[in-house]
Amino acid sequence: MDELRTQLEGYADSLFAEGGILSRILPGYRPRSVQRELFHALIGSLLSGRPLLAEATTGTGKTLAYLLAASLYAVLAEDKVVVATHTLPLQEQIVNREWPVAREALRQLGLPVPRLEIARGRGNYVCLRRLFAWAEPILTGHARGAGTPYVPLAVELVGQAPDLKEGLREEFAGKIPAEVWEEIRADPEDCLYHASPYYDRCYVQRARRRLAEAEVVVTNHALYLTDVARTRAGEAGVLPPHGRVLFDEAHRLADVFPAFFGREITLGRAYALYDEVRRRRRAWVNHAFPAEGERAHLLYLLENFFVGFRATFGEIARRVLPSSALEGSGSDLPSGGIEEGERAGRLTPPFDVPRHEREAYELLRNFLTRKREEFDASDPGAAGIRGFLRRLDALVQDLEFFLGGEGGDAWVYGWSASGSEGRRAAPTEADAFHTSSLDKGARVTSSAESQDRNVSPASEGVTFFARPLDAGEVLGDHWEKVTPLFLSATLAVAGEVDLFAREMGLRSYSTFLAEPPPGTFGQLLYIGVREGPFPPAGFRAPDLHTPFVTEKLKEFYPYLGGKVLVLFTNFRAIEEVAATLSSWAEAEGVELLAHSPESSRDDLLERFRRASRALLLGNDTFWEGIDLRGESLRAVVITKIPFPNPRDPLVAALAARHSGGRGDEFRSYMLPKAIVKLRQGLGRLIRHETDRGVVVFLDPRLFRRSYGRLILQSLPRGAWGEVGDVPAFFAAASGERGSEAGDAASSPV
Ligand code: SF4
């Protein structure tokens, strides 16, 4: 191993030195000691099998460093490395921009180039069997009514499908409507595997074979966690076996993990089982139940199960929810894991409620199990029933887990209720069940019957949930088998990564923390507004802060000019600011782009890029994952320190757990989480070494509360000034840049 380490580390000179391989391949490449040090840290962890937590800000060249380290390790240690990102743009950057450079660098080192493949979810691929099953009745004129408009599309899809490169949806010329893609995409619950007549030509199977041969596999966090969940459950994984995983954008894992491994019980899940039978009718229901009488019986059992489940759900709602939850008068929550306008609360199981669905579940299950045994395992009918049973069992098991509190103290239990829209929508969907049936003869139940069983219509917008708090319990075994390396521009708080390590369930690990040396990567000018009202303490408290933000935006925009991103923590404030600013923006010729729950982030960003003068008011999703270079963004305005929502039951439980009973939830959890998010927000501004940008803080708590000091100490290096300094800052000649940046003496800390 020492020999291999010496060999791998020896490549650093050839790659990163002045006049080295990267200088020759990449025009304008500037050797950075931090990139080289990161490479050494990565090689050390890959070889030793010790987890690594690495923070490297934009400008350190971390993507190329880890791609080179992973490739060299995979080739020389003969192991597979998975690289997982949170966002698609980063995956595209790895494959299209960084990988060609890494590949050429390996060639120039005289080493074999490893095979790199992208692992995608099955739903991205067309299933040839399902496509032809969908198209056949349409093309032969046997599709009744609804199929006729699809004739030209069916001709196109059937013509193109056999000759695609990878079988991905985007390879088809022309758009495929969502409802059609749903019918023809690959679906693990409706796959015949070896028994499929298209198995040898199957795009999914070809992709699996390519993945098995690859040395470096690029995927996303969600698919990686799916793989972990499946292998934990003893099922086949979706990724090939591997010894190392490298997570970029790793800070997102901590937020995704509890929801991903958690359990949710909703009426919608039970309804989806009915919908599943309706949608899959052509694929497997008609095949498994060719006689009309049998189908009617299946629907009868299914409807009885739904009615029973709905009654049990209503019992839980009636017994454990506060009356305010059902009347819609609970406290609204502004942001965080619980969506704005939702209401939520924590619950303490076990719950002793009558189980109205149990008998119907057993009858339905027995009927389906008996039927499945009539078929060969590879029959489409058996595959369909198998998938359906898995969903049915999972729903009932999740219900039992929730009611019994089976996770104990390591889980948090609670409820959330959607806003008025959600509360109105759910009964409509459920009511549709009672007025429709697949076949004549199915028993149609009345809503009066379900009312008899304690169902409150308001409870239909409610979700009951159980979420794990301890990543170590869920992921600990996995980290024993696979070494994780976590990379992000924001993992640390004041130089410490212990919160993230706890969130990921790591006990022993190495760290690497770095940012580019002063003057080598862009420049920041900070402006802080010290006097003014604080943001309101609660969603219903009087809000003097939002009008203050509006006035400051009007006052500062003439200095900032160009394109300015204003980051908020709730939609209500955005709406208010946008309404007040609209006539001013029109008079000033400033395009005002206000983010709302209905708007598309991509559309807003596209309009922002095209505009010459614009204010983009963005909520949660604009704090990270957007790349606006150079003049695309001149300034970021932080309206409020982005603390997690303490009224979110998950946030409260995680904060209590991380404080370890010391009662310092704010310092040990809420403040570090806010700092990480704040640093993500600032990361939108400097994406390239020639970028310059201004950050404006409109939350006076930053300067007038004791915790503000820790936040200020955690900010990237920059100079502090007044808004009047902005024009000179942007006008400064590039030769002066180095001397201005990193002016620690002007920091307010
Ligand atoms: S093997 Fe499965 S995914 Fe592939 S074509 Fe056959 S049924 Fe579709």
Side-chain angles (χ1 to χ4, degrees):
M1 192 58 82
D2 283 349
E3 207 176 298
L4 187 55
R5 181 188 299 266
T6 311
Q7 187 185 0
L8 284 170
E9 292 188 344
Y11 290 127
D13 272 341
S14 318
L15 289 167
F16 301 109
E18 190 86 52
I21 289 174
L22 291 180
S23 299
R24 294 201 295 272
I25 298 174
L26 281 172
Y29 175 79
R30 286 206 302 183
R32 281 158 284 188
S33 58
V34 63
Q35 186 180 34
R36 192 179 174 137
E37 287 157 15
L38 175 61
F39 175 83
H40 283 296
L42 291 161
I43 290 292
S45 273
L46 287 165
L47 286 173
S48 67
R50 185 174 164 83
L52 175 71
L53 273 61
E55 180 180 282
T57 56
T58 310
T60 48
K62 79 171 153 49
T63 314
L64 191 53
Y66 71 64
L67 210 46
L68 283 165
S71 304
L72 285 166
Y73 168 80
V75 167
L76 298 176
E78 296 181 11
D79 191 5
K80 238 185 244 301
V81 182
V82 173
V83 175
T85 71
H86 183 72
T87 57
L88 196 59
L90 181 55
Q91 251 181 65
E92 284 165 0
Q93 181 194 329
I94 289 172
V95 174
N96 300 327
R97 287 212 332 242
E98 312 286 351
W99 176 237
V101 176
R103 196 172 48 200
E104 181 55 27
L106 292 170
R107 275 201 196 104
Q108 295 202 16
L109 280 172
L111 292 171
V113 176
R115 185 165 174 168
L116 178 141
E117 291 288 342
I118 302 177
R120 300 178 174 89
R122 275 176 177 251
N124 293 289
Y125 295 91
V126 66
C127 165
L128 293 173
R129 181 183 65 81
R130 297 186 74 209
L131 167 64
F132 292 126
W134 169 80
E136 201 238 21
I138 294 172
L139 296 177
T140 54
H142 289 102
R144 277 171 293 171
T148 318
Y150 291 128
V151 170
L153 180 65
V155 171
E156 278 298 314
L157 296 180
V158 166
Q160 292 176 35
D163 301 317
L164 300 174
K165 188 165 169 253
E166 292 185 63
L168 298 168
R169 181 179 184 173
E170 59 264 29
E171 289 176 51
F172 285 96
K175 275 200 161 180
I176 304 176
E179 70 278 9
V180 173
W181 184 249
E182 189 59 24
E183 294 283 335
I184 65 173
R185 68 176 174 83
D187 179 351
E189 306 292 1
D190 186 19
C191 175
L192 301 185
Y193 300 96
H194 289 282
S196 167
Y198 300 94
Y199 187 77
D200 290 340
R201 290 191 279 154
C202 172
Y203 289 114
V204 177
Q205 302 308 328
R206 279 199 240 168
R208 284 184 74 88
R209 286 194 284 273
R210 285 199 305 273
L211 282 182
E213 288 163 14
E215 282 102 1
V216 178
V217 174
V218 177
T219 190
N220 57 57
H221 291 174
L223 200 65
Y224 193 85
L225 293 178
T226 302
D227 184 67
V228 175
R230 289 184 66 125
T231 46
R232 264 170 58 84
E235 296 169 17
V238 291
L239 297 172
H242 53 279
R244 306 286 184 262
V245 57
L246 206 150
F247 294 103
D248 198 354
E249 302 175 318
H251 60 282
R252 292 305 308 264
L253 277 168
D255 298 330
V256 170
F257 150 80
F260 196 90
F261 288 96
R263 302 173 185 223
E264 286 193 347
I265 299 107
T266 61
L267 278 180
R269 276 183 74 186
Y271 178 76
L273 288 168
Y274 158 73
D275 200 39
E276 180 78 7
V277 168
R278 186 179 60 80
R279 282 190 296 114
R280 297 266 183 270
R281 188 174 173 189
R282 186 170 36 235
W284 67 269
V285 177
N286 283 0
H287 188 87
F289 301 94
E292 191 167 308
E294 273 192 321
R295 290 201 297 272
H297 189 61
L298 171 64
L299 281 167
Y300 166 76
L301 294 174
L302 193 51
E303 289 196 16
N304 270 350
F305 169 74
F306 181 81
V307 170
F309 184 88
R310 187 176 157 164
T312 303
F313 196 90
E315 292 273 11
I316 306 169
R318 192 174 62 82
R319 289 175 188 227
V320 307
L321 293 187
S323 57
S324 60
L326 299 181
E327 289 158 7
S329 59
S331 61
D332 285 342
L333 301 173
S335 67
I338 297 294
E339 293 299 318
E340 185 178 343
E342 279 195 341
R343 289 158 297 113
R346 194 167 175 176
L347 298 169
T348 310
F351 309 109
D352 185 17
V353 294
R355 298 283 299 277
H356 299 288
E357 87 296 345
R358 230 179 212 149
E359 197 184 328
Y361 165 64
E362 292 300 335
L363 288 171
L364 176 60
R365 203 176 191 294
N366 289 342
F367 176 68
L368 286 166
T369 308
R370 271 200 313 276
K371 193 70 199 171
R372 188 186 56 192
E373 283 159 9
E374 289 176 17
F375 295 100
D376 187 85
S378 60
D379 187 276
I385 294 175
R386 222 174 16 243
F388 185 83
L389 274 172
R390 212 173 0 233
R391 286 165 214 258
L392 177 70
D393 289 345
L395 175 59
V396 174
Q397 282 161 13
D398 286 354
L399 178 66
E400 269 158 18
F401 185 93
F402 173 80
L403 292 176
E406 288 175 28
D409 292 346
W411 287 61
V412 60
Y413 301 82
W415 62 274
S416 66
S418 51
S420 53
E421 287 304 312
R423 286 197 300 277
R424 274 201 302 275
T428 312
E429 182 188 56
D431 288 347
F433 182 85
H434 297 290
T435 54
S436 65
S437 63
L438 288 179
D439 289 282
K440 290 191 190 91
R443 176 171 169 253
V444 177
T445 54
S446 72
S447 58
E449 181 178 346
S450 53
Q451 287 294 341
D452 285 348
R453 299 192 195 178
N454 302 313
V455 176
S456 155
S459 72
E460 297 186 16
V462 169
T463 297
F464 294 106
F465 62 80
R467 303 208 195 288
L469 298 171
D470 187 348
E473 194 173 281
V474 179
L475 297 172
D477 289 351
H478 187 71
W479 300 151
E480 295 286 314
K481 290 177 258 165
V482 177
T483 300
L485 290 80
F486 300 96
L487 287 107
S488 169
T490 52
L491 282 187
V493 174
E496 299 290 335
V497 292
D498 54 330
L499 173 62
F500 182 78
R502 275 184 272 123
E503 287 182 309
M504 285 295 102
L506 296 174
R507 281 175 201 89
S508 135
Y509 51 88
S510 303
T511 56
F512 176 87
L513 306 175
E515 66 174 308
T520 61
F521 196 74
Q523 290 183 49
L524 281 172
L525 175 67
Y526 291 116
I527 294 161
V529 177
R530 291 162 175 76
E531 300 304 324
F534 288 177
F539 200 56
R540 295 188 186 282
D543 180 6
L544 301 175
H545 183 254
T546 304
F548 165 76
V549 167
T550 312
E551 285 311 307
K552 285 293 168 195
L553 288 176
K554 277 201 272 190
E555 181 189 331
F556 285 4
Y557 185 79
Y559 296 95
L560 302 173
K563 297 190 247 193
V564 178
L565 173 64
V566 190
L567 293 173
F568 290 81
T569 59
N570 67 75
F571 285 119
R572 192 184 64 166
I574 292 179
E575 205 178 311
E576 188 179 325
V577 170
T580 317
L581 283 184
S582 64
S583 48
W584 166 85
E586 206 178 322
E588 295 290 320
V590 176
E591 186 158 0
L592 191 60
L593 301 165
H595 183 202
S596 72
E598 291 77 36
S599 55
S600 143
R601 185 174 90 147
D602 290 348
D603 286 351
L604 287 173
L605 283 173
E606 194 45 45
R607 288 170 61 193
F608 189 65
R609 282 194 185 97
R610 283 204 307 264
S612 55
R613 287 160 60 80
L615 270 181
L616 172 52
L617 316 181
N619 200 4
D620 212 40
T621 60
F622 284 87
W623 284 79
E624 60 183 293
I626 58 172
D627 194 359
L628 296 162
R629 289 178 181 230
E631 283 301 304
S632 300
L633 185 65
R634 279 165 71 92
V636 168
V637 178
I638 305 289
T639 57
K640 196 177 152 194
I641 302 168
F643 289 116
N645 181 355
R647 288 178 296 278
D648 179 335
L650 177 63
V651 168
L654 284 168
R657 195 164 183 88
H658 284 288
S659 87
R662 295 187 304 275
D664 64 346
E665 286 88 346
F666 181 77
R667 294 252 163 205
S668 61
Y669 186 77
M670 308 298 270
L671 184 56
K673 292 297 277 185
I675 290 173
V676 168
K677 184 154 184 175
L678 184 60
R679 293 181 61 211
Q680 274 295 324
L682 303 192
R684 304 311 95 219
L685 203 48
I686 304 293
R687 314 297 296 168
H688 189 263
E689 56 194 61
T690 57
D691 284 353
R692 317 188 109 204
V694 176
V695 180
V696 179
F697 294 107
L698 294 182
D699 188 340
R701 293 177 300 177
L702 197 56
F703 309 98
R704 287 162 48 198
R705 287 282 183 252
S706 59
Y707 55 74
R709 191 175 178 82
L710 186 67
I711 299 177
L712 292 169
Q713 282 170 343
S714 303
L715 298 179
R717 200 179 284 113
W720 285 82
E722 302 295 328
V723 71
D725 301 332
V726 173
F729 172 74
F730 281 121
S734 54
E736 297 168 356
R737 286 175 180 167
S739 60
E740 284 182 29
D743 182 6
S746 65
S747 161
V749 179

